[in-house]
Amino acid sequence: MKAIIVGGAPYGIVLACRIKEIDNTSTVLVIERGSSICLSMVPASSRHQGDTEQTFVDESYLQDLGIEIRRFSEIHSIEAETKHVHLHDIAANYSYTENYDALILSSNIEATDGNIAWHEIPRVFKCRTHDDLSSLVAQMQEQSPSKVIVMGESLLSLQMAEGLCEAHAVKDQVEILHSGSKVYGKLDTGKYMAEMLHNRIRQRGVGITLKETLCEIRENMEQVEIVSETGVIHRADFVILCIEYHPETDLARKAGIRIGQSGAVMVNDRMESTQRGVWAMGRSAETSVDICITPHELAYLRQAHIIADDLFHHENTITTSCMTESFQILGEAVAVTGFDEEEARQKGIAYQKIYVTDSACKFRNITSYSLKVLFKEGDGTVIGAQCIGIGDVAGLLDTFTLAIQGHQTVFDLESSELCKAGEHPINRVGAIGSDSLRMDCPLISWEKVLNLDCADKTRSKVTADCILIDVREQEGYNQFHVPGSINVPLSSLDASLDHIKQKSLVYVYCEDSELSCEATWTLRSRNFNSFSVSGGLFSYHLLKDSLPHKDLIFFGCECNCKGNSMKDERGGDYAGEVTLKSECRL
């Protein structure tokens, strides 16, 4: 066996070690364009004493295994049919050819900065690693600037902003400037979990400006000016660019290897590409339908073992490779696993979503959490989860990671016999999802209630038999409610049923989902066509700022969208039949 690994990334090195462990007579070449390779993922017992940090180390351990490292070398082309690669020795400036039995693509390339001459400006710094982060935080402490702008789409930009704040290195303002719609890619787009994280970061004094694409960086007196494509100018004392990396797949494309939508190499459940004898891993790999590869080093570690096993015909596949990604930013814990909504839509998966919130949690070491879970509409298979809170939310998400890997359904979660089963988030999610699929308490999203799924974002007509009911007590309703809703407290729902049209389509919401689920149960047991709005006001608050206020016709209101508590003949509250007005709008 002769294996050539392209790229000295840590997971590529783990693969090299794994191949030699299985068959020490194999020939393993690692081709690295730069001067060093990284051993940060090699088990600590295999490293030399003192090499415990995630940093660049010498290659003597690999030399002992018989792994050859060719530094300052790069591949110019791949001949997949004949299993040859054309290489170039950068240092010696000569080219040559190598044959292979297995070619593994694991290289990344630094995101380019186009024609922006940021490197010519003394007050603009580049951050690639955590070592750079620590050095820059220390430098900012010495300089004590009034404002620092942090740019970049990687998690490193969030960690940089947090480091500056915790070190009190900036007098007035740390601002994150981002070209995308969210600061962390795996959180759902739109106004849901991503917006919640944005709000909480802002509450802790860090500014966030989104959808600002960098056009020019220039120096003006003792400040740096960032000019966006829209012409807006952002000024700061210093700018820190946190560099993002993307897969390098030009060689694969030229060799006729199929490239996926993300720009990475398409692989099967054994990490093999469409060309026999060529595998891909890490950021260089993209999988097919219903397989979720998480861009995380520990997930890459598993990929290394799968490829090595496949090379030697051992059974090991990547049917569902997902893991809990987590980080903390300014006191907020964030954890995600599996698919987010955008990924599920791209793969054509019909799904439902559940929101569970608890601000006085007694579960594990969590004091509060906001949890979102996605499951398949047909059989209830759990496909993704996201959580933001204070405490060990990653531990909570680990349970959902196991559920995804085990192809478990919400019915499995419901029947799980866990400690404090009535309070456990797993059981709560399972019960809500199971009730929805059984149609005992079906869920519906605000997007569907408000017809936001329509291409033109408007209602085609007013439906006179639709009612939106807020089942909280009147005090909470008076403080805030969804425009167009009527107030029927759960405590008086039974007494009000006679005043609701039997054929009405009834949408029910509360603060999260607990009361609305109970009310929906009651209504459906009385043969009303009712639905519980998933997430209630919790999810509505995250969505409402993006609503198309001017053109969206709503329903269930007879008081110009100010809400309504129906009155009986004596002036008491009850839910009467609703006379809708066509001009009623949000």
Side-chain angles (χ1 to χ4, degrees):
M1 169 68 68
K2 181 177 180 180
I4 297 179
I5 299 172
V6 183
Y11 37 88
I13 301 303
V14 170
L15 173 58
C17 295
R18 179 64 175 164
I19 291 172
K20 296 295 286 188
E21 286 173 2
I22 296 176
D23 179 11
N24 62 8
T25 65
S26 297
T27 299
V28 181
L29 306 179
V30 177
I31 308 300
E32 169 55 40
R33 183 187 289 110
S35 60
S36 302
I37 55 93
C38 183
L39 292 180
S40 63
M41 291 172 65
V42 176
S45 59
S46 302
R47 303 183 200 168
H48 297 290
Q49 187 174 4
D51 292 334
T52 56
E53 296 296 323
Q54 292 194 10
T55 184
F56 295 105
V57 299
D58 65 68
E59 296 95 12
S60 57
Y61 169 68
L62 303 182
Q63 292 171 0
D64 292 341
L65 287 178
I67 297 171
E68 183 181 354
I69 308 296
R70 296 188 181 175
R71 294 175 291 183
F72 300 109
S73 296
E74 60 184 359
I75 292 181
H76 277 184
S77 62
I78 301 170
E79 293 182 11
E81 295 294 332
T82 61
K83 292 190 174 181
H84 283 81
V85 291
H86 299 281
L87 299 101
H88 181 73
D89 187 316
I90 300 171
N93 193 26
Y94 77 92
S95 299
Y96 59 101
T97 301
E98 288 276 2
N99 69 302
Y100 64 84
D101 297 306
L103 179 66
I104 299 93
L105 306 175
S106 66
S107 60
N108 298 324
I109 189 169
E110 183 178 296
T112 58
D113 299 314
N115 297 319
I116 301 165
W118 60 267
H119 53 276
E120 298 177 358
I121 303 175
R123 291 176 172 267
V124 178
F125 300 99
K126 201 172 187 179
C127 180
R128 297 184 185 89
T129 67
H130 287 87
D131 289 339
D132 292 344
L133 190 154
S134 300
S135 174
L136 286 169
V137 168
Q139 187 172 345
M140 292 301 103
Q141 281 182 298
E142 293 179 4
Q143 299 282 349
S144 189
S146 294
K147 182 177 180 179
V148 172
I149 291 178
V150 179
M151 299 183 63
E153 299 182 7
S154 64
L155 184 57
L156 196 61
S157 62
L158 291 179
Q159 294 168 333
M160 173 61 75
E162 180 183 46
L164 293 171
C165 289
E166 290 185 342
H168 303 288
V170 182
K171 292 179 182 177
D172 299 327
Q173 179 74 63
V174 176
E175 182 177 0
I176 297 173
L177 194 62
H178 201 286
S179 61
S181 60
K182 51 186 176 178
V183 297
Y184 180 58
K186 286 292 289 184
L187 287 175
D188 273 323
T189 54
K191 299 292 181 177
Y192 288 106
M193 306 299 281
E195 186 64 21
M196 183 191 304
L197 178 63
H198 299 162
N199 291 338
R200 294 186 180 181
I201 291 175
R202 289 181 178 117
Q203 288 169 5
R204 286 160 175 78
V206 175
I208 297 179
T209 302
L210 301 172
K211 298 180 181 179
E212 284 288 274
T213 303
L214 175 64
C215 180
E216 181 185 0
I217 298 180
R218 63 196 184 200
E219 195 171 21
N220 186 1
M221 302 295 288
E222 294 185 357
Q223 281 196 319
V224 180
E225 293 184 342
I226 298 173
V227 184
S228 70
E229 285 186 349
T230 59
V232 177
I233 299 176
H234 304 270
R235 296 178 177 86
D237 299 305
F238 294 96
V239 172
I240 299 175
L241 298 174
C242 295
I243 303 303
E244 180 73 9
Y245 291 82
H246 60 81
E248 184 178 12
T249 54
D250 285 343
L251 289 173
R253 183 181 286 105
K254 291 175 181 176
I257 297 171
R258 184 183 169 193
I259 306 299
Q261 292 181 347
S262 69
V265 174
M266 286 296 298
V267 297
N268 59 20
D269 59 358
R270 293 173 288 107
M271 307 304 297
E272 190 173 20
S273 74
T274 53
Q275 284 283 5
R276 190 168 180 81
V278 180
W279 286 258
M281 64 186 302
R283 294 180 186 271
S284 296
E286 179 181 330
T287 56
S288 56
V289 175
D290 264 6
I291 300 176
C292 179
I293 288 187
T294 301
H296 191 287
E297 285 189 342
L298 295 179
Y300 297 159
L301 183 63
R302 184 181 172 198
Q303 295 173 29
H305 282 249
I306 288 170
I307 294 173
D309 287 345
D310 193 38
L311 294 180
F312 296 98
H313 309 292
H314 298 169
E315 283 294 327
N316 196 351
T317 58
I318 189 163
T319 52
T320 53
S321 175
C322 71
M323 66 173 298
T324 307
E325 293 184 60
S326 64
F327 65 93
Q328 291 207 15
I329 174 73
L330 299 170
E332 291 291 331
V334 180
V336 299
T337 187
F339 290 126
D340 58 30
E341 288 197 56
E342 185 175 356
E343 291 170 331
R345 286 193 295 268
Q346 287 176 352
K347 295 183 179 294
I349 300 173
Y351 63 90
Q352 291 188 27
K353 51 193 173 186
I354 297 171
Y355 295 91
V356 175
T357 63
D358 195 337
S359 58
C361 181
K362 298 178 182 178
F363 172 72
R364 284 186 178 177
N365 297 316
I366 303 175
T367 56
S368 66
Y369 69 87
S370 298
L371 171 66
K372 178 181 181 179
V373 179
L374 305 183
F375 62 97
K376 287 185 179 179
E377 202 165 64
D379 59 9
T381 302
V382 181
I383 60 172
Q386 304 179 3
C387 192
I388 298 176
I390 299 175
D392 184 24
V393 300
L396 172 59
L397 264 285
D398 278 341
T399 309
F400 288 100
T401 296
L402 290 173
I404 295 168
Q405 291 177 341
H407 303 284
Q408 289 189 320
T409 68
V410 288
F411 301 106
D412 296 319
L413 301 187
E414 180 188 34
S415 60
S416 299
E417 297 181 359
L418 304 172
C419 180
K420 297 183 179 180
E423 302 176 10
H424 203 295
I426 306 301
N427 293 119
R428 290 178 65 186
V429 167
I432 294 171
S434 299
D435 287 344
S436 180
L437 292 179
R438 294 189 193 105
M439 297 303 289
D440 292 328
C441 178
L443 297 173
I444 191 168
S445 66
W446 281 114
E447 290 95 332
K448 291 182 178 178
V449 171
L450 303 175
N451 268 10
L452 296 185
D453 291 337
C454 296
D456 60 356
K457 305 292 184 185
T458 63
R459 284 189 173 278
S460 57
K461 62 180 180 178
V462 177
T463 305
D465 286 327
C466 290
I467 301 174
L468 181 63
I469 296 179
D470 186 323
V471 292
R472 298 174 299 152
E473 293 299 319
Q474 188 171 359
E475 181 181 356
Y477 177 83
N478 289 340
Q479 289 180 353
F480 179 85
H481 56 266
V482 178
S485 64
I486 62 174
N487 184 215
V488 185
L490 180 62
S491 57
S492 61
L493 181 62
D494 276 328
S496 305
L497 292 179
D498 292 339
H499 303 287
I500 301 177
K501 284 184 179 180
Q502 191 70 42
K503 294 183 179 180
S504 296
L505 178 60
V506 183
Y507 299 138
V508 185
Y509 76 88
C510 61
E511 195 67 43
D512 43 37
S513 292
E514 191 170 347
L515 297 180
S516 64
C517 284
E518 187 176 343
T520 302
W521 259 90
T522 300
L523 288 163
R524 293 190 77 85
S525 68
R526 306 295 199 279
N527 297 318
F528 286 95
N529 189 15
S530 60
F531 296 82
S532 173
V533 184
S534 183
L537 285 178
F538 164 72
S539 56
Y540 179 80
H541 279 302
L542 301 175
L543 175 71
K544 64 183 177 68
D545 289 341
S546 64
L547 293 178
H549 294 279
K550 293 183 179 180
D551 298 320
L552 183 65
I553 301 173
F554 203 46
F555 53 89
C557 177
E558 58 177 22
C559 55
N560 295 322
C561 286
K562 296 179 181 178
N564 184 23
S565 289
M566 297 302 218
K567 305 294 180 181
D568 61 19
E569 295 176 355
R570 296 167 295 178
D573 292 337
Y574 76 97
E577 295 183 3
V578 181
T579 304
L580 293 152
K581 294 184 176 181
S582 60
E583 70 271 13
C584 186
R585 296 172 181 267
L586 279 176

